[in-house]
Amino acid sequence: MDQQKRPIVEALEAFQAADPVSFHVPGHKTGRLSGLPDGLRAAMRYDATELTGLDDLHAPIGAIREAEELLADAYGADCSFLLVNGSTAGNLAMVRAVCTPGDVLLVQRNAHKSVFHAVELAGAQAVFLNPEWDGMTCTAGAVSVDTVREALDRHPEAKGIFVTYPTYYGTAGETLSDIISCAHGHGIPVLADEAHGAHLLAGPPFPPSALALGADAVVQSAHKTLSAMTQGSFLHVNSSLVDADRIARGLSMLQTSSPSYVLLASLDDARARIAAYSEADKHAFLEWRRQFIDRCRKLAKLDIIEPDDPLKVLVRHKHVSGYALQQALEQQGIYTELADERQVLFILPLLTEGADYPAERVASALAKAIRTLESEDEEKKPEPGPALPADRPAIRISGGPAGSPSEWVPVDEAAGRSAAGAIIPYPPGIPLILEDEPLSGETIDTVCRMAASGAAFQGAVRTSDGRVEFEVKTEQGGDGNG
Ligand SMILES: Cc1ncc(COP(=O)(O)O)c(C=O)c1O
């Protein structure tokens, strides 16, 4: 197929060229009734709806269908879907397509919160697969094949395996191919959250994509590593073990009935760009990256870590936490993807040949940031523990009754109580503990330590004025405030 074609972009441009007068939604009437600044209002000309010639995301027969066929062709999938509600919607749809209520799904424990929500909404039961510790990024990494085999021995009734590949920090590991063989040996599919891997299509030295390794359904946040707008994702199905019709039905329930055409056009364009990504483009990116890393390595007090995925780079300061380094960088106008106790994560630009990006400015901002941190106490950096409780056995979601009463308690009253919801450092959005899991002393210490060094949380923990409180299930006979 001609991967240079962008049918949605072309349909939108053709529609606009006729200078149409709007008597339809949206109410901003191609931007005329909007009070937004000009730059924002300009894009509203293209903020159309399902008008003649513009097709329908939920029943595509025209430009959107052609764009999805081009997408499947580019990634080598049986069929592909454009998503306007992020990989979140894709994860929900994949799990719903494979599990009915009561079914067991094997789930890599260091998954994004949307995967836990997917299991909950499907009424399924998750059997968690503990990941291996990745010494390079100092985060939870891939799952070992032995862990998968053991889980399948104990749960032969499992309907599928859900993996995250690569991780937020760029760890791919080397086990996915064997995990897929193992799953297929049991006749069950592997669903892959490749939210951070839409660019792996570019080929080595990027790790192989989950689709190339044989995963049955794969979701990718095209907005994270490709040029699509925020919320734009891809979902691919490449196997008869996953019913594409069930995916389509799920997506029609889970996604808005008013998809943004600007977003759809950006997905169409992102697919065309990655399909056209050449060896020369890759060379330009790798050369820029090399210079960027070389400059950073010249700076004292920094360690530069290169994960499996070359699009990610971790920067550690020898004496201060990642949060402090991130803050110092922001004061120099440099905004990074996330920080944790150890490090800051940079997502590099997937540059094409001839494209420019300010490597020199970042290096000098880093140098300035380091100088501003010089007055800090050199011994201050805490020795962080693992972000997920270590050595857990595989466990099931216990799933207490929905809406059961809860209360907020201070740190010294939390130990041993059941969490009323997940506790999720954000980003990266990987729950530290899940609803109904007991708050151990170790977990409480981890949350307090992370909060003290600047972590933000979602869910059953709140931090203000240096105080940490946990939302716990009300014990029988207690005074819950729901
Ligand atoms: C691993 C992973 N999966 C899924 C998601 C959700 O993706 P989206 O923001 O596209 O809904 C994220 C978001 O950060 C993620 O990191």
Side-chain angles (χ1 to χ4, degrees):
M1 295 179 82
D2 179 1
Q3 288 292 339
Q4 287 190 333
K5 283 190 78 179
R6 297 177 304 168
I8 300 176
V9 178
E10 287 155 21
L12 268 182
E13 284 199 311
F15 188 81
Q16 273 314 309
D19 195 20
V21 182
S22 165
F23 286 98
H24 54 78
V25 298
H28 60 67
K29 306 294 178 202
T30 58
R32 287 170 200 228
L33 304 189
S34 166
L36 283 174
D38 287 350
L40 285 170
R41 211 152 59 90
M44 287 177 132
R45 278 202 312 128
Y46 297 94
D47 184 30
T49 186
E50 290 87 354
L51 300 165
T52 305
L54 295 184
D55 209 2
D56 176 353
L57 180 66
H58 296 291
I61 52 168
I64 294 178
R65 180 167 180 165
E66 197 187 340
E68 292 189 330
E69 285 169 357
L70 282 160
L71 178 62
D73 178 63
Y75 279 87
D78 287 346
C79 72
S80 299
F81 299 88
L82 299 172
L83 309 185
V84 291
N85 289 88
S87 293
T88 295
N91 284 340
L92 300 179
M94 286 198 299
V95 172
R96 185 194 165 278
V98 166
C99 294
T100 53
D103 283 346
V104 166
L105 184 68
L106 307 187
V107 178
Q108 183 171 339
R109 175 60 180 82
N110 50 330
H112 183 255
K113 61 177 184 165
S114 57
V115 181
F116 301 96
H117 297 156
V119 170
E120 190 178 334
L121 285 175
Q125 287 210 297
V127 170
F128 295 118
L129 307 173
N130 266 339
E132 301 297 302
W133 184 249
D134 176 41
M136 163 90 78
T137 60
C138 291
T139 57
V143 172
S144 78
V145 187
D146 284 347
T147 300
V148 171
R149 284 205 189 101
E150 193 189 323
L152 281 173
D153 284 347
R154 285 165 57 179
H155 297 282
E157 75 281 20
K159 294 290 196 239
I161 304 180
F162 198 107
V163 297
T164 301
Y165 175 95
T167 67
Y168 211 131
Y169 286 80
T171 303
E174 290 175 352
T175 57
L176 184 55
S177 172
D178 290 341
I179 290 173
I180 292 171
S181 303
C182 205
H184 290 172
H186 282 72
I188 58 172
V190 170
L191 313 177
D193 177 349
E194 203 179 56
H196 292 271
H199 62 294
L200 302 186
L201 188 63
F206 295 100
S209 72
L211 273 177
L213 293 174
D216 302 270
V218 177
V219 67
Q220 300 167 329
S221 292
H223 69 93
K224 289 193 197 300
T225 59
L226 303 184
S227 57
M229 284 172 63
T230 297
Q231 291 188 211
S233 287
F234 300 146
L235 196 168
H236 311 281
V237 178
N238 202 31
S239 148
S240 56
L241 292 175
V242 175
D243 182 347
D245 289 340
R246 266 187 78 76
I247 297 266
R249 181 158 159 66
L251 289 174
S252 72
M253 290 195 276
L254 295 161
Q255 297 205 101
T256 175
S257 60
S258 307
S260 157
Y261 273 80
V262 182
L263 183 44
L264 287 170
S266 80
L267 282 168
D268 200 17
D269 177 61
R271 182 270 313 153
R273 285 175 67 87
I274 189 66
Y277 202 72
S278 65
E279 287 303 313
D281 292 330
K282 203 158 54 181
H283 178 77
F285 161 72
L286 291 170
E287 185 51 26
W288 184 93
R289 176 181 182 276
R290 189 190 61 72
Q291 288 179 16
F292 170 74
I293 290 176
D294 284 353
R295 285 189 174 111
C296 294
R297 287 224 159 101
K298 288 202 182 103
L299 300 171
K301 299 192 184 161
L302 292 187
D303 287 326
I304 311 299
I305 313 296
E306 300 178 51
D308 298 339
D309 178 1
L311 204 66
K312 308 273 172 95
V313 170
L314 295 166
V315 180
R316 293 182 191 154
H317 189 286
K318 291 190 197 310
H319 302 298
V320 302
S321 73
Y323 303 111
L325 179 58
Q326 186 183 45
Q327 230 177 31
L329 276 168
E330 287 179 5
Q331 279 159 11
Q332 306 301 326
I334 305 295
Y335 287 79
T336 55
E337 174 62 15
L338 66 73
D340 65 25
E341 290 172 279
R342 279 190 177 80
Q343 56 209 351
V344 169
L345 170 63
F346 283 70
I347 301 186
L348 304 186
L350 189 67
L351 293 177
T352 47
E353 194 182 17
D356 192 24
Y357 220 75
E360 189 59 59
R361 181 175 154 209
V362 182
S364 82
L366 258 172
K368 278 190 200 147
I370 294 167
R371 281 199 292 280
T372 66
L373 291 166
E374 255 163 19
S375 55
E376 303 271 341
D377 175 358
E378 302 255 305
E379 298 306 315
K380 211 161 118 193
K381 189 168 185 172
E383 189 37 56
L388 281 180
D391 295 334
R392 283 194 179 191
I395 48 166
R396 282 171 186 269
I397 289 184
S398 48
S404 56
S406 63
E407 60 187 319
W408 287 93
V409 297
V411 169
D412 53 0
E413 292 173 27
R417 305 284 298 272
S418 298
I423 294 182
I424 312 172
Y426 212 94
I430 300 165
L432 198 56
I433 69 160
L434 299 167
E435 179 175 351
D436 254 355
E437 289 185 353
L439 286 163
S440 66
E442 183 201 358
T443 303
I444 294 169
D445 288 350
T446 302
V447 171
C448 292
R449 197 191 60 235
M450 290 175 73
S453 60
F457 290 91
Q458 293 180 351
V461 68
R462 63 188 179 198
T463 58
S464 64
D465 302 332
R467 266 164 41 114
V468 177
E469 289 183 313
F470 292 92
E471 190 183 14
V472 296
K473 292 262 161 95
T474 303
E475 287 166 348
Q476 271 190 343
D479 298 325
N481 58 7

